[in-house]
Amino acid sequence: MSHSPDFGQTPARAATPDSGDTTRERILAAAMEEFARHGIAGARVDRIAKIARTSKERVYAYFRGKEALYAHVAARELSVIADATQIDPSDLPSYAGRLFDYFTARPDHYRLITWGRLELADAADTEDDPTRAVITRKLDQLRQAQQAGQLNPAWDPADVLALVNQIATTWAAQPELTEAAAEHATDSTTAARRAAVVTAVEQLFPRAV
């Protein structure tokens, strides 16, 4: 995507070291559920407060507004995704498999990130945007793999990353096709869908030997 949410935003004030930390975590958990289900525009702070067993005023004490709250939740989720699906430029098929596994197990997490792409597409990027930092780091890793002879240098690293990510999230992005595959595919199992993802990436970007 060309633009990403302002994931560099910070809470309006730091949480106090007492039970406020627990309240803040409840707010973040409730916000994760609310944003994944309703998006940013459709999310309501009063529902988040109710689920978190706190007040709207308390939510706003921690976060300046709904978009700031979404930015914090999404930034934390992206960090978790990056840690759980470490990229290995010499074995991109396995990386694609890890992405597939993560979002297959957590479709609501995929929706959370997608809402930001849709609703904050025109938001200005910031230099401290962690999304940009993660992408830059992965592109550097891919370039290093090309220099080491582990990845075909004919590909632009940006195209490699975009294609692998797109293939890996094919089924998460198209739940209607997942339903169709369950009914019409020769092998309707999740394992078959995963195997197709890994094989597609393998054919484009074979594992280094």
Side-chain angles (χ1 to χ4, degrees), residues 25-169:
E25 285 304 310
R26 290 202 309 270
I27 291 170
L28 290 172
M32 174 81 179
E33 178 182 335
E34 180 74 5
F35 287 128
R37 181 173 298 176
H38 301 288
I40 303 168
R44 293 179 54 180
V45 175
D46 57 344
R47 279 198 300 252
I48 293 172
K50 182 177 181 180
I51 295 171
R53 305 191 307 280
T54 189
S55 65
K56 288 177 62 175
E57 292 74 20
R58 188 69 166 170
V59 175
Y60 285 121
Y62 283 103
F63 302 94
R64 293 190 299 272
K66 193 163 59 171
E67 286 194 8
L69 177 54
Y70 172 83
H72 189 94
V73 171
R76 191 162 74 163
E77 173 60 17
L78 287 169
S79 178
V80 170
I81 294 170
D83 288 341
T85 63
Q86 292 284 333
I87 187 171
D88 179 356
S90 68
D91 189 359
L92 292 175
S94 292
Y95 167 64
R98 287 191 292 275
L99 282 175
F100 175 91
D101 291 340
Y102 188 90
F103 288 120
T104 296
R106 305 166 184 83
D108 54 328
H109 292 213
Y110 183 82
R111 291 195 302 270
L112 173 80
I113 302 303
T114 301
W115 280 116
R117 291 172 175 166
L118 292 173
E119 298 190 54
L120 301 179
D122 295 328
D125 290 331
T126 60
E127 293 183 359
D128 59 349
D129 181 350
T131 307
R132 178 185 293 183
V134 168
I135 290 173
T136 298
R137 183 167 64 252
K138 289 181 178 181
L139 293 177
D140 288 342
Q141 289 177 274
L142 291 170
R143 289 191 186 93
Q144 292 169 11
Q146 288 176 323
Q147 293 167 2
Q150 298 174 325
L151 183 63
N152 187 345
W155 288 92
D156 190 302
D159 292 323
V160 174
L161 186 59
L163 287 169
V164 173
N165 285 349
Q166 190 68 33
I167 293 170
T169 59

Side-chain angles (χ1 to χ4, degrees), residues 166-182:
Q166 190 68 33
I167 293 170
T169 59
T170 293
W171 298 102
Q174 302 179 91
E176 70 281 3
L177 286 184
T178 300
E179 294 178 5

